[in-house]
Amino acid sequence: LVVTDVEPDSQAAQRGLQAGDIISSINSLEIAAGADVDKALSDAAKAGRKSVLVQILRNGQTSFVTLPVSNG
């Protein structure tokens, strides 16, 4: 799933997520579509997690970004 836009003052931007990044997994759940992101975040919130580990691919390099989960 390719990130198309990141709000400049968002948590994602502050943690380094950029437009053009490819999200390959969240908490080890493979991401192929937007619905997968929603499910991963929902599952994390239901489990009481405060953050998720997002694996991204940027310029051929794999890296990880930790993003907070909204529990509300």
Side-chain angles (χ1 to χ4, degrees):
L1 180 69
V2 178
V3 176
T4 57
D5 187 38
V6 179
E7 292 294 323
D9 295 328
S10 68
Q11 294 277 348
Q14 291 172 8
R15 288 177 167 73
L17 198 64
Q18 300 176 8
D21 287 347
I22 299 170
I23 298 175
S24 53
S25 70
I26 297 177
N27 285 353
S28 299
L29 175 67
E30 186 175 328
I31 302 298
D36 297 331
V37 173
D38 293 340
K39 179 176 179 1
L41 296 176
S42 176
D43 289 352
K46 288 176 187 173
R49 294 181 187 223
K50 294 183 181 182
S51 63
V52 292
L53 184 63
V54 181
Q55 181 179 0
I56 61 170
L57 182 65
R58 179 186 302 149
N59 299 324
Q61 300 290 320
T62 299
S63 61
F64 296 88
V65 177
T66 303
L67 297 176
V69 173
S70 173
N71 290 320

